Amino acid sequence: MRTLISTAFISLDGVVEAPGGEPGYRNSGWTFKDVEFLPEAFEIKGREQGEATAMMMGRTSYEAFSAVWPDMEEFADYKVMPKYVVSTTLAEENLVSNWGETVILRSLDEVAALKETEGGPIIIHGSATLNQALSDAGLIDRYHLLVFPLLLGAGKRLFSTTDKDTQKLRLVEHEAYANGLQKNVFDVVR
């Protein structure tokens, strides 16, 4: 069974929208304009590329990432690994040709079936709506969260507001950095 890992830059109040400067959000770019950059706080991002064997995202994140990540040296490991896009609307002809193998999954049942296959961890970047659906369905196994010391107010959240049973998490790794960032790695307790 494969491990599904959600990785996110997240504000203290739970916002994950437009951390890298994506247009259309009032506080866009909050990860680099409001907090001092410390390389050691982002060590986990390089480790994720080395440990993941596939990448998953929703349509919106795929469209944003596939436009720039294939040509970025810092994401070279992702270029060669398989990618899965969970979408009911993305068409095969809209997939980019310069980013390696990409498979479109049309449902959470297909994600669950993928998890049952042989292989290593699958990392989920961005994809707030997908993260909420996967979490609510009990499909996420681990969270890699870099928590920024910011309150952003409105914006897309990592977790849904669905009324559901408590989901227990076990902290397996954590660190606080001089710039106020906190790394928190949680396993979902089943």
Side-chain angles (χ1 to χ4, degrees):
M1 184 160 168
R2 301 179 81 169
T3 303
L4 201 53
I5 302 169
S6 171
T7 182
F9 294 145
I10 187 168
S11 68
L12 189 59
D13 58 347
V15 174
V16 293
E17 186 169 356
E22 300 81 357
Y25 176 60
R26 178 177 180 232
N27 292 314
S28 185
W30 50 270
T31 60
F32 60 84
K33 69 179 182 183
D34 295 320
V35 177
E36 174 192 3
F37 178 76
L38 292 178
E40 60 271 22
F42 297 89
E43 170 274 334
I44 193 169
K45 305 318 281 175
R47 188 168 19 126
E48 288 170 350
Q49 282 190 70
E51 294 173 356
T53 60
M55 189 166 131
M56 182 178 288
M57 63 212 99
R59 180 194 50 81
T60 301
S61 291
Y62 174 78
E63 289 172 345
F65 297 156
S66 67
V68 292
W69 281 20
D71 298 322
M72 295 178 72
E73 189 171 320
E74 58 265 38
F75 298 119
D77 291 338
Y78 287 139
K79 185 170 184 170
V80 297
M81 71 176 59
K83 282 159 251 357
Y84 299 94
V85 182
V86 183
S87 174
T88 59
T89 59
L90 185 67
E92 292 283 337
E93 60 267 15
N94 297 120
L95 297 175
V96 299
S97 61
N98 64 336
W99 206 24
E101 175 191 353
T102 303
V103 175
I104 300 172
L105 303 176
R106 299 294 182 192
S107 68
L108 294 183
D109 287 339
E110 289 186 25
V111 174
L114 174 65
K115 281 189 61 169
E116 295 296 325
T117 63
E118 293 293 320
I122 302 170
I123 195 91
I124 306 165
H125 282 281
S127 309
T129 302
L130 176 61
N131 265 285
Q132 290 177 5
L134 293 170
S135 178
D136 288 349
L139 293 173
I140 294 179
D141 302 296
R142 176 173 275 198
Y143 293 95
H144 290 183
L145 305 178
L146 276 180
V147 182
F148 284 70
L150 302 169
L151 300 174
L152 298 174
K156 292 180 185 174
R157 302 276 198 263
L158 184 63
F159 302 103
S160 77
T161 57
T162 301
D163 186 12
K164 60 184 176 185
D165 292 338
T166 301
Q167 187 173 50
K168 186 171 171 46
L169 306 175
R170 182 176 63 251
L171 184 66
V172 295
E173 183 180 343
H174 65 91
E175 192 161 349
Y177 302 95
N179 62 356
L181 259 68
Q182 295 177 28
K183 172 179 62 181
N184 293 298
V185 176
F186 294 99
D187 280 342
V188 175
V189 177
R190 305 235 189 262

